[in-house]
Amino acid sequence: MKTFFFVYFNDFCTFAPYKLHVNKYLNTLIEKHIVLEDIDPVIFYGVNNSHLQMLKSLFPKLRIVARDNVMHILGDELDIAKIEEDMENMRKHVLKYNSIDDEDILDIVKGKKTKADSVKGVIIYSISGRPIKSRSENQQKLIDAFDKSDMVFAVGPAGTGKTYLSIALAVKALKEKTVKKIILSRPAVEAGEKLGFLPGDMKDKIDPYLQPLYDALEDMISATRLQDMMEKHIIQIAPLAFMRGRTLSDAIIILDEAQNTTPQQIRMFLTRMGWNSKMIITGDMTQIDLPREQKSGLKDALQIIQGIEGISVVQLGQKDIVRHKLVTRIVNAYDAHDKKLEEKYKKNEEKASAKEKDLGTPYIDKEVKSIN
């Protein structure tokens, strides 16, 4: 919050020959211009300026005028010092919780903790004021791993909150100004179907692949603020191919859907890390959309980075799924189906091996071909 001030002398100077006598009741008025940084002023002022009107009633001796994100305050120095402190606490509250109400303002003016401050374990609050925090043991492990390690791999099935929690941690770090930017990336891989030619410029062609990242950000940052951050490149969303040649410093970098990278791509990505940066790599080994003959870069990386200091690997499972209850049942059903196929494949391999020994020539079973 930036502050500019001007000084006015109100009343009562008397002039005598050769001397200037200043009335002992001279009253000094100060005008301050306070800029509300990093927040949406609409939330700060309230619906129909209700919060602004409340501030005026709480500080009746001050003249308060708001224009855009700048507040002009005229009054006594002590009163202005008090309201400036309270407004800064209100600004921090809006920055942290994305909301503020009349009760919160009263608590802040009285020097009390707000009800939101009493809630523990919250990463950040959504734009609707909903607390975003861990909802399972392994999700908490992801948060703890982010605090202690500079690089975190979060691997698990769909709906376990890997991407959403990672973006929440990044937004929190940005709001607390421990980093200067957030960089989000995904490999541009089609999920089974061929999309063909996409109209528009480069951004229009790429955006469909990156929409899940936009969805998470829009839940945590107001639309106008998010647009401003993206225009200033404070938040960057780009396909993995655009990462080559960059050194990413003072940033939180998230690679989503890493199971769809090749070994060469993930190796390139992991070596982009610069000073004062953290990386989170998320993926689901059951949803690989690469060609059958192509090895997953995530699977390759998890084997190579084992035991390296400063890198944590968090495995999430079915118990961590936080989507609709049917998602858990679907994941369980597919896991059971995959196990049956694997068992059948092993039996057919053993059968083929036995046939080869008997015949002395390679044996290919039709069932084995169908499974492959």
Side-chain angles (χ1 to χ4, degrees):
M1 185 166 70
K2 293 180 181 176
T3 304
F4 307 91
F5 67 90
F6 306 86
V7 179
Y8 300 87
F9 293 100
N10 192 20
D11 222 277
F12 311 115
C13 295
T14 59
F15 291 88
Y18 313 110
K19 289 184 181 180
L20 174 65
H21 299 283
V22 181
N23 191 304
K24 65 179 179 180
Y25 299 110
L26 178 117
N27 186 23
T28 304
L29 297 181
I30 293 178
E31 181 181 357
K32 283 206 171 183
H33 297 174
I34 298 174
V35 182
L36 302 173
E37 293 185 299
D38 304 325
I39 62 169
D40 184 351
V42 174
I43 298 174
F44 188 92
Y45 298 146
V47 179
N48 297 323
N49 289 330
S50 59
H51 299 159
L52 187 60
Q53 297 303 324
M54 187 175 186
L55 277 175
K56 289 180 179 180
S57 65
L58 290 170
F59 295 90
K61 294 180 181 180
L62 298 176
R63 182 185 174 194
I64 304 171
V65 178
R67 291 188 180 91
D68 296 325
N69 68 330
V70 181
M71 296 189 70
H72 306 267
I73 306 172
L74 179 66
D76 179 75
E77 187 175 1
L78 291 176
D79 290 332
I80 284 186
K82 168 61 176 166
I83 196 173
E84 186 180 7
E85 180 185 353
D86 292 339
M87 284 175 57
E88 174 61 11
N89 289 330
M90 286 172 61
R91 188 194 69 84
K92 288 179 179 177
H93 190 282
V94 173
L95 182 65
K96 185 175 182 180
Y97 303 116
N98 277 318
S99 67
I100 193 166
D101 58 28
D102 292 349
E103 186 181 343
D104 295 327
I105 294 171
L106 280 174
D107 287 337
I108 289 169
V109 172
K110 291 177 181 177
K112 297 180 181 178
K113 280 188 176 182
T114 64
K115 56 183 181 293
D117 288 329
S118 304
V119 181
K120 294 182 179 180
V122 177
I123 303 171
I124 57 168
Y125 285 75
S126 71
I127 56 173
S128 62
R130 176 177 57 84
I132 299 171
K133 57 183 179 179
S134 65
R135 295 172 62 181
S136 71
E137 184 180 346
N138 287 327
Q139 285 188 356
Q140 186 59 48
K141 285 181 181 178
L142 172 56
I143 296 168
D144 295 339
F146 178 81
D147 291 336
K148 73 176 184 180
S149 302
D150 289 335
M151 185 178 291
V152 180
F153 286 79
V155 184
T160 50
K162 306 180 297 294
T163 303
Y164 194 78
L165 272 184
S166 299
I167 291 177
L169 290 166
V171 171
K172 179 186 179 184
L174 188 64
K175 285 188 173 186
E176 293 176 350
K177 298 187 177 180
T178 57
V179 295
K180 295 180 181 177
K181 56 193 172 186
I182 297 173
I183 300 169
L184 308 174
S185 186
R186 263 190 167 204
V189 177
E190 295 161 339
E193 68 276 26
K194 298 295 181 183
L195 297 179
F197 174 78
L198 293 173
D201 59 17
M202 181 64 74
K203 185 177 184 300
D204 295 328
K205 295 175 191 294
I206 289 166
D207 275 356
Y209 297 102
L210 306 175
Q211 191 57 48
L213 304 179
Y214 287 110
D215 292 343
L217 285 170
E218 287 167 359
D219 198 29
M220 302 173 200
I221 303 172
S222 66
T224 52
R225 181 69 182 147
L226 178 59
Q227 184 66 31
D228 181 58
M229 285 179 162
M230 294 186 73
E231 287 175 359
K232 293 177 179 176
H233 302 290
I234 296 170
I235 294 178
Q236 304 172 29
I237 304 178
L240 182 59
F242 290 7
M243 293 293 107
R244 188 173 294 280
R246 299 183 68 183
T247 300
L248 308 174
S249 300
D250 294 309
I252 303 295
I253 311 121
I254 298 172
L255 175 60
D256 192 33
E257 297 288 334
Q259 76 276 4
N260 289 326
T261 61
T262 65
Q264 293 80 12
Q265 285 175 326
I266 201 164
R267 180 177 182 177
M268 176 274 294
F269 177 83
L270 297 179
T271 54
R272 299 304 94 203
M273 195 174 192
W275 295 106
N276 190 38
S277 290
K278 289 196 173 196
M279 278 188 172
I280 307 177
I281 300 95
T282 71
D284 177 2
M285 299 308 299
T286 66
Q287 295 192 19
I288 298 174
D289 299 314
L290 295 169
R292 285 182 180 274
E293 65 277 5
Q294 180 66 64
K295 187 178 181 182
S296 168
L298 178 59
K299 188 175 183 180
D300 195 51
L302 288 172
Q303 294 171 350
I304 293 169
I305 56 91
Q306 284 183 5
I308 296 179
E309 187 179 351
I311 300 178
S312 296
V313 178
V314 179
Q315 296 284 349
L316 296 103
Q318 297 160 7
K319 293 180 180 178
D320 303 301
I321 293 175
V322 291
R323 290 181 185 166
H324 193 286
K325 59 186 177 184
L326 278 177
V327 175
T328 305
R329 297 172 189 170
I330 291 168
V331 170
N332 289 338
Y334 270 96
D335 284 348
H337 178 70
D338 290 343
K339 284 180 182 177
K340 285 180 182 178
L341 280 181
E342 191 176 347
E343 288 171 4
K344 191 174 183 180
Y345 180 80
K346 285 181 179 178
K347 286 180 181 178
N348 286 332
E349 273 197 329
E350 291 171 1
K351 183 180 176 183
S353 179
K355 286 278 186 181
E356 283 180 20
K357 287 181 181 178
D358 293 341
L359 298 173
T361 56
Y363 174 81
I364 300 175
D365 196 303
K366 291 180 181 179
E367 287 187 275
V368 173
K369 287 183 75 176
S370 66
I371 291 169
N372 287 331

